[in-house]
Amino acid sequence: KNEVEQSPQNLTAQEGEFITINCSYSVGISALHWLQQHPGGGIVSLFMLSSGKKKHGRLIATINIQEKHSSLHITASHPRDSAVYICAVRFGQGAQKLVFGQGTRLTINP
Amino acid sequence: NAGVTQTPKFQVLKTGQSMTLQCAQDMNHEYMSWYRQDPGMGLRLIHYSVGAGITDQGEVPNGYNVSRSTTEDFPLRLLSAAPSQTSVYFCASRMREFTEAFFGQGTRLTVV
């Protein structure tokens, strides 16, 4: 079964801390997405990657294909980073469907 | 640039009623999808489309119909609403297979 597991489920940290959210998947993938869902409910795509590392501002996403693992890092975290972060993967070439993790609820306290 | 627009944002239905959730995108994306999000579960795919005139079932298609008569629009129809369809629904689109996905703001549906 194609599965996506995220950890931790909930994470509370202080402003300025370095944050890591993990995503593991069961079989080979063609692409992995990191999404952010704000308390208001809207979903925003942060990254799409199939290898290596991507950086956008304070956000960094890495993927290790051999270990079937991806991480999302936030440097110098801020209360406005508080949201649910969702990992979603596309299993195999030509697959149309994204399989989603359950999300990591991040709370950054001032 | 509006992106992906979903309407309505909120809806309450009685069991057995029908309704259509609207989704429109102005980015000329080929791929469009409908998901539902329930507490404690990840987003689940209901139906998707890889282009005008082409639709297919996702993980949880029962009770829902879709059509894709134009590239821009991908409506989701509930033919006879049931309390189990109480959920938050998201529409998403992307240009092609390995490109970034864009999501609508969601529709919170309650069936009583």
Side-chain angles (χ1 to χ4, degrees):
Chain A
K1 183 181 176 183
N2 297 337
E3 291 183 340
V4 180
E5 295 288 335
Q6 283 187 239
S7 63
Q9 287 189 335
N10 294 282
L11 178 58
T12 300
Q14 291 299 121
E15 183 173 355
E17 287 189 36
F18 181 81
I19 303 299
T20 297
I21 299 170
N22 298 298
C23 176
S24 298
Y25 47 89
S26 55
V27 296
I29 65 168
S30 54
L32 183 144
H33 298 251
W34 280 103
L35 310 169
Q36 180 191 54
Q37 185 170 26
H38 281 283
I43 297 176
V44 175
S45 176
L46 298 176
F47 296 103
M48 190 201 71
L49 64 166
S50 55
S51 65
K53 174 180 174 179
K54 286 190 176 180
K55 184 176 189 293
H56 184 258
R58 295 182 294 107
L59 300 176
I60 304 166
T62 64
I63 188 168
N64 185 316
I65 299 298
Q66 287 73 29
E67 294 187 4
K68 298 184 178 60
H69 180 268
S70 175
S71 292
L72 176 69
H73 305 286
I74 305 174
T75 62
S77 59
H78 190 277
R80 65 174 175 266
D81 298 326
S82 298
V84 176
Y85 293 83
I86 302 169
C87 169
V89 304
R90 196 175 312 282
F91 288 103
Q93 297 295 328
Q96 304 302 333
K97 305 171 187 179
L98 282 174
V99 179
F100 293 81
Q102 291 196 11
T104 295
R105 183 174 299 276
L106 174 66
T107 303
I108 304 296
N109 294 319
Chain B
N1 188 351
V4 180
T5 303
Q6 279 184 243
T7 55
K9 286 191 170 62
F10 301 94
Q11 182 71 50
V12 179
L13 289 178
K14 293 182 179 179
T15 297
Q17 285 185 316
S18 63
M19 80 159 293
T20 299
L21 307 186
Q22 301 291 345
C23 176
Q25 52 90 10
D26 61 359
M27 298 172 282
N28 202 32
H29 285 176
E30 289 295 322
Y31 290 27
M32 296 185 75
S33 308
W34 274 104
Y35 298 91
R36 60 178 289 172
Q37 185 178 41
D38 300 295
M41 306 183 74
L43 286 147
R44 293 182 293 167
L45 181 66
I46 305 171
H47 285 285
Y48 65 97
S49 168
V50 298
I54 306 169
T55 63
D56 205 349
Q57 295 181 349
E59 184 183 353
V60 287
N62 292 340
Y64 307 95
N65 280 353
V66 292
S67 60
R68 185 94 181 272
S69 56
T70 66
T71 299
E72 294 77 19
D73 300 299
F74 191 43
L76 178 73
R77 297 184 187 85
L78 284 71
L79 300 178
S80 178
S84 61
Q85 293 178 305
T86 294
S87 187
V88 180
Y89 292 84
F90 287 94
C91 177
S93 75
R94 66 186 194 278
M95 177 66 73
R96 52 187 176 275
E97 187 172 357
F98 296 111
T99 56
E100 182 184 1
F102 293 81
F103 286 78
Q105 286 296 304
T107 297
R108 185 174 295 275
L109 176 68
T110 302
V111 182
V112 298

